[in-house]
Structure formats: structure tokens, C-alpha cells
Amino acid sequence: MNPLIYLDHHATTPIAPEVLAAMMPFFTEHFGNPGSPHAYGWAAESAVKLARETIASAINATADELIFTSGATEANNLAIKGVAESYLSQGKHIITVATEHSAVLEPCRYLQSLGFELTILAVQSDGLIDLALLKSALRDDTILVSVMVANNEIGVVQPIAEIGQLCHNKGILFHTDAAQALGYIPLDVEAMNIDLMSMTAHKVYGPKGIGALYVRRRNPRVQLSPQLHGGDQERGLRSGTLYPPQIVGFGKAVELAVADLSDESKRLAKLRDRLLSGLVMELGSTGCLVNGTMDHRLSRNLNISIPEIDPSRLALELGKSIALSSGSACATKSRKPSHVLEAIGRSPELAFSSLRFGLGRGTTTMEINRAIEVIGAAVRLQA
Ligand SMILES: *Cc1c(COP(=O)(O)O)cnc(C)c1O
């Protein structure tokens, strides 16, 4: 057993061995530029094409609807700024949600600084958005709604198909950040009424530095202003030489995750529920407050607040044996409580004393049992 238990899979995941193996030849013998008109180029190009088809079919899109990017941050920026620039003449109103990742909130705030109007919807105390509230926020000059599929802190999964339907009823484009959802919950851009969707490989056992934006080409055909200008790769929407090892790795990672989605999701849900009930046994139900609904949630996520502990002491204690993310760890960087926990109504104290668990492919029952023990002991140390 690894002495350091890794429960931070929402931050990133290790590369699967199969993914690394698939990538290797594209660093060495097949090093060509996919844009080159010769055999080196063709080898790289055909591998990129295959990966593109794999990822597209995993989300019920077509290959020509995917734009490779450096990750979900870039995909979010391209979607939000690209739509804002393209649809300027139709309106300047954008809607997003208080619990979004900063890679959505910050591009939106940037646009606001340029004169766009921004509505940031509140969420309910369970982390879900209120569909009636969204409906009443939609205006004639609204050009884009951006709501994430699954939250990276509390794992709450929004009703994406219903949100997309509300947007489409009014002819408004719908973007979703699926960084935490791809490979974990079934995604279907048709059934879920999605027009733009951001994805990243490194949250699903693929390499860092690669992701994609799905851009709908039919009903409606989404117009997008490029944010990187250059050699016209990716139909002019994202210039720059494609990175075949990363793209091949992304394709392999998605193929593996989708093939095993339902079994792995059940396994993780069992482990996660074991973790929760173990923590409740150790800390008592008033000593372990769950953040976000348990009913619409990623099976690998748990987020709790532990009242009346010194969060930095706890983090220090846990850091010796468990790699996980805590409210205080974030705070050392930003000195601010999590905006997600704040949005669901947690006090700054409870936000700072939160622990985010992200279980993953390597997580075992033994590790979960050990984590429960270690956390119980660390909290008792403070009593
Ligand atoms: C990780 C993450 C991102 C950023 O993705 P990168 O590929 O690291 O840029 C964006 N949104 C969510 C919800 C994430 O979890």
C-alpha cells in the first residue's frame, strides 16, 4: 500500500499505463506534424483523427465538432469569449452560476469589464441551481448561459438537459464545463441540449496540457471568434501545431473511462459511502457536515466540514498520510474561503474547515478504512 493515500482526484489523476503506452511512439518514431504533406505527417494526422473520433463518439458528437485546446481552462475561455465576440450584435448579456470554476467565472468577469452584462445565479443550499430562477434570468439580449456539469469541489451534478432545454426554447446558446464529468457520467450533447462543452484529459487518467471544446455545427451552427490566430489549425478556431502524443493519450483515456464507466462508478460510490459512514461513526453526525446534496453527485466525491477544529492544524496532521484538498489548503494560497462553499451558505469558518475527497481508480477499501482512522485520530487530537 502506498504510504501516502491519494484522495485528490478532482485536482488531477495519474496517467493510466495504457494511455502512456499509446502516447510513447508519438514522441519518437511518429514525431511528425499532423499538418505536413508526407508520411511523417500522415502517421500523426491519422492518429489525431482516430482520437478525435473516439472522443466525439463518447459524447455523441461528430469529429468535426471538436477543437483541441490545452485543457478545460482554454476551452472555457474560447467558448465564452468566442461566443461573446461573435454574437455581440445580438446582445451583451451572459449568465453563469456562483459555483462555477474560476476558469468560467474569470472570463465572464473579464467580459463584464469590457461592457458585457453578467448575471451570476445563486445556488440552493444543496448546490443545485433553481431552474425557475434561471428561467426568469433569461432575457432577449442573453447570448450565452454557462453552467458546469459537475462541480469540482462538492461534486454536485446540475440538471444539464433541462438547463439546455430552457436555453434552446429561447434560442440562447448553452455552454457547459464538463471537466469533472467526462468519463464519469454519461454525456450526450444531443440529448442534453449542449452547444459548447469544455473537456480536459488530466482529470480522467490522461495527460495534462490537452483538452477540447465541443462546438455544435448543426441546429444551430455555433459561430465562434478564435482567440488564438495563426496557422489556421482546427478550422481556424485554434491555431498552433497539434500535439499528437497528448491528443492520442486523451483519446485513449476517454476510451478506457467510457468502457468502464458504469462498473467503476458503482465501485466508487460504494467506497465513498463507506467513507461517509465511517467518518460519521468517528466524528458523529454533528461533527461531520456534508457539503452539497448526496442525491445528484459524482460517485467519487465527498466534501465535509468539521465544525470547531483548527483547520490548519488538521491539514498539517492529515498531510503526513493523506493527499487531499482542504479549505485551509486553498486558503494558504488565496486567504479566502471557497467561493463554492460560500455559495451554498457555509460560514467562512465551516468553509475553512472543509475536506474534499476525490476517490479514484487506484482507491482501495483498505485506503478508505485507513483514511477514516487517520481523520478520526487527527480530530480527536484537537478535542
Ligand atoms: C480542472 C478543471 C478545470 C481546468 O482544467 P485544465 O485542463 O486544468 O485547464 C476547469 N473546470 C473544472 C470544473 C475543473 O475541474
Side-chain angles (χ1 to χ4, degrees), residues 10 70-73 76 101 103 148 150 152 177 179-180 200 202-203:
H10 293 296
S70 62
T73 301
N76 287 339
H101 192 275
M148 72 202 319
N152 49 297
D177 177 348
Q180 295 287 344
T200 190
H202 77 96
K203 306 278 172 75

Side-chain angles (χ1 to χ4, degrees), residues 62-293:
T62 55
D64 61 354
E65 293 176 306
L66 285 192
I67 309 294
F68 285 115
T69 64
S70 62
T73 301
E74 189 191 331
N76 287 339
N77 273 267
L78 175 58
I80 294 165
K81 296 176 191 169
V83 163
E85 264 182 54
S86 253
Y87 290 81
L88 194 59
S89 63
Q90 294 182 30
K92 296 181 93 175
H93 182 228
I94 294 167
I95 299 175
T96 188
V97 180
T99 48
E100 291 294 310
H101 192 275
S102 53
V104 163
L105 289 171
E106 292 310 318
C108 288
R109 291 197 179 110
Y110 169 73
L111 289 170
Q112 190 179 27
S113 78
L114 298 183
F116 284 83
E117 269 192 77
L118 178 61
T119 298
I120 300 180
L121 292 177
V123 294
Q124 306 171 122
S125 61
D126 60 4
L128 290 166
I129 72 163
D130 175 351
L131 289 171
L133 188 69
L134 170 63
K135 196 172 175 201
S136 67
L138 300 174
R139 310 192 319 211
D140 291 339
D141 63 341
T142 307
I143 51 173
L144 181 70
V145 171
S146 181
V147 182
M148 72 202 319
V149 181
N151 187 270
N152 49 297
E153 291 187 34
I154 54 177
V156 168
V157 177
Q158 301 291 352
I160 292 301
E162 288 85 346
I163 296 167
Q165 188 62 57
L166 285 179
C167 295
H168 284 184
N169 289 348
K170 298 231 2 169
I172 297 167
L173 295 178
F174 175 46
H175 166 252
T176 188
D177 177 348
Q180 295 287 344
L182 180 70
Y184 296 98
I185 57 178
L187 295 171
D188 180 326
V189 292
E190 292 304 327
M192 297 168 112
N193 306 303
I194 295 165
D195 298 311
L196 302 116
M197 184 165 82
S198 302
M199 297 169 270
T200 190
H202 77 96
K203 306 278 172 75
V204 60
Y205 307 92
K208 294 170 185 58
I210 189 74
L213 179 67
Y214 158 77
V215 186
R216 176 176 289 281
R217 294 196 76 181
R218 297 153 203 91
N219 308 312
R221 183 188 176 90
V222 176
Q223 306 293 322
L224 212 54
S225 295
Q227 303 299 307
L228 282 182
H229 301 86
D232 259 0
Q233 286 88 351
E234 302 296 83
R235 294 185 288 111
L237 288 173
R238 204 282 191 174
S239 289
T241 302
L242 289 170
Y243 192 0
Q246 305 304 89
I247 293 171
V248 166
F250 187 13
K252 192 70 184 174
V254 169
E255 180 192 316
L256 293 174
V258 168
D260 198 29
L261 192 150
S262 108
D263 287 348
E264 177 65 356
S265 171
K266 283 185 200 125
R267 188 185 77 88
L268 290 170
K270 263 196 201 153
L271 285 176
R272 189 271 313 275
D273 294 344
R274 182 186 189 92
L275 176 63
L276 177 56
S277 56
L279 289 172
V280 169
M281 291 258 278
E282 288 283 338
L283 310 174
S285 54
T286 53
C288 170
L289 307 176
V290 175
N291 295 314
T293 176

Side-chain angles (χ1 to χ4, degrees), residues 289 291 304-308 341 346-354:
L289 307 176
N291 295 314
I304 61 163
S305 286
I306 306 173
E308 282 155 35
L341 298 183
R346 289 300 192 202
S347 65
E349 292 72 32
L350 283 177
F352 280 129
S353 68
S354 66

